[in-house]
Amino acid sequence: MTARSQPFHQWTAGLTLLAVVASALAGCGGSEKESPPTYGVTGTVLSADGQPVSGGMIEFRSTEGKPVSAIGQIQPDGSFSLSTLVASTKVPGAVASRHQVIVIPSPPDTGDIQPIVQPVIVPTLCEVKPDGDNQFSVRLPQH
């Protein structure tokens, strides 16, 4: 592996990890009847200075009970909506729980050189509630 291709492999490693989590979720549990209910989750991802983050992925990982992840794509305007894989089916929303939030930003376009993109763990937990609005403004921490 060349020094130039190493950052590309680190970026793809992050996406591979996300795919592994999604695949594991698809294989967990039995029928949808046994699956926990999900609740619609939307929001916006903002940089530390309050600007919308354009592109990338966001994951809400439950911290209570059986770990369940909900994943969404960050749109060009910073907005997102989450889905959970349940028995190989993509179900809108996330389970009711407090969630650790992880953002994998899109790599900047630097031409021929692929930059290293590290997942960002947001220090504040987000709580998805069965009877709540569940719309979140996720602000990335300062570097």
Side-chain angles (χ1 to χ4, degrees), residues 61-127:
R61 187 177 300 164
S62 66
T63 61
E64 302 161 2
K66 179 180 174 184
V68 178
S69 290
I71 299 170
Q73 184 171 353
I74 302 169
Q75 301 302 311
D77 65 353
S79 66
F80 69 89
S81 61
L82 297 180
S83 294
T84 302
L85 286 177
V86 176
S88 301
T89 303
K90 189 174 170 182
V91 178
V95 298
S97 173
R98 291 173 17 132
H99 293 262
Q100 178 181 45
V101 179
I102 301 162
V103 174
I104 302 173
S106 290
D109 185 11
T110 57
D112 195 28
I113 300 172
Q114 292 290 325
I116 297 172
V117 177
Q118 297 291 331
V120 178
I121 298 174
V122 178
T124 306
L125 297 178
C126 291
E127 186 170 2

Side-chain angles (χ1 to χ4, degrees), residues 12-94:
T12 56
L15 289 180
T16 301
L17 177 62
L18 196 55
V20 168
V21 169
S23 296
L25 289 174
C28 292
S31 70
E32 287 191 39
K33 188 187 274 187
E34 298 171 9
S35 301
T38 59
Y39 304 93
V41 176
T42 59
T44 305
V45 180
L46 303 172
S47 64
D49 64 357
Q51 298 301 311
V53 171
S54 179
M57 300 291 290
I58 185 167
E59 176 187 0
F60 274 42
R61 187 177 300 164
S62 66
T63 61
E64 302 161 2
K66 179 180 174 184
V68 178
S69 290
I71 299 170
Q73 184 171 353
I74 302 169
Q75 301 302 311
D77 65 353
S79 66
F80 69 89
S81 61
L82 297 180
S83 294
T84 302
L85 286 177
V86 176
S88 301
T89 303
K90 189 174 170 182
V91 178

